[in-house]
Amino acid sequence: MAGRVGIVFVSHSELIARGLVDLARQMAPNASLVAAGGTDDGRIGTSFEKVSAAIGEADAGDGVVVLCDLGSAILTTDTALEFLDDDQRARVRLVDAPLVEGGVAAAVSAEAGDDLEAVAAAARTAAGSPDADAAPPAGASPAGEPPAEASAAGPTRRVTLVNADGLHARPAAELVKLAATFDQPVTVNGVNAKSLLAIMALGLTQGAEIEISSDDPSGAAAVDAVAELAASGFGET
């Protein structure tokens, strides 16, 4: 796979930044995830040098998405961006999104090999930005329940979720990464299968029946692949 977009977590706390990298790493083991937390001497605050170094470390040429926790972290990052050369600055996106949810969504998108704008858009879904793909359509089923009727015109399969802990973060990330490898749109219980936050918001538990569909008649392979992954228990059973 070509290089991946890097993610930088900027926090006033070194522990928070490192913890976020650890969390996201569970779902995006190959993505470039870099912490930039605390001051140079380990106090609460932010560091121009740390943020600059983190952007440089995360940038493999495909771009970097930066997420920050508090206002002054944004100011520090803005300053760091000003000191980048024009080429590198053009491939950095400072995204206004919740650090945890946005960072995890961005990391999964980067892991799937999405480009810079797609990774930034994935992070923004955590901020409630308008995103028709991520938002459940009218009539979407409540948590843990399949839709009453299939609405897609394309292929559809139903699978019972076997994972003891339900569709928690790791299997949800596996589902999203697989769905993202197909060009055709895929939905799970009516929400975009390529949106981590939308999938996790379903709150699916063990025994729930999930409906995997595509409104593209050529989407059978995508639907089958996602259904088979779900039926396998995502490698957890």
Side-chain angles (χ1 to χ4, degrees):
M1 176 180 288
R4 294 180 172 86
V5 174
I7 313 295
V8 172
F9 297 89
V10 181
S11 171
H12 281 64
S13 166
E14 184 175 1
L15 292 176
I16 288 176
R18 289 184 176 180
L20 288 169
V21 168
D22 288 342
L23 174 64
R25 182 75 65 202
Q26 298 301 308
M27 291 161 272
N30 300 301
S32 179
L33 310 174
V34 184
T39 64
D40 294 336
D41 57 0
R43 292 178 292 110
I44 296 297
T46 54
S47 160
F48 168 85
E49 286 75 14
K50 281 189 174 183
V51 174
S52 298
I55 291 173
E57 180 181 345
D59 183 16
D62 293 277
V64 178
V65 168
V66 183
L67 296 103
C68 303
D69 60 356
L70 299 171
S72 58
I74 296 172
L75 295 176
T76 301
T77 301
D78 279 336
T79 303
L81 293 180
E82 290 176 2
F83 279 81
L84 298 178
D85 62 48
D86 292 343
D87 287 343
Q88 188 175 33
R89 188 185 309 112
R91 57 177 185 269
V92 177
R93 300 290 180 272
L94 173 57
V95 176
D96 182 11
L99 191 58
V100 178
E101 293 87 347
V104 169
V108 171
S109 179
E111 179 75 14
D114 291 340
D115 64 21
L116 177 61
E117 301 307 334
V119 174
R124 292 190 189 97
T125 62
S129 299
D131 185 339
D133 286 337
S141 61
E145 298 180 12
E149 296 182 359
S151 58
T156 295
R157 286 185 57 178
R158 289 175 178 266
V159 175
T160 299
L161 194 62
V162 299
N163 296 68
D165 295 325
L167 199 60
H168 63 88
R170 197 201 64 78
E174 294 301 315
L175 188 155
V176 169
K177 285 185 285 186
L178 178 60
T181 64
F182 293 92
D183 293 333
Q184 296 83 2
V186 181
T187 61
V188 173
N189 287 10
V191 306
N192 183 5
K194 301 177 184 180
S195 170
L196 177 66
L197 298 179
I199 291 297
M200 293 186 67
L202 290 171
L204 296 170
T205 57
Q206 186 182 37
E209 185 177 65
I210 60 175
E211 182 181 87
I212 302 136
S213 303
S214 176
D215 60 8
D216 186 331
S218 68
V223 169
D224 286 344
V226 173
E228 289 164 12
L229 177 65
S232 74
F234 301 91
E236 292 188 338
T237 58

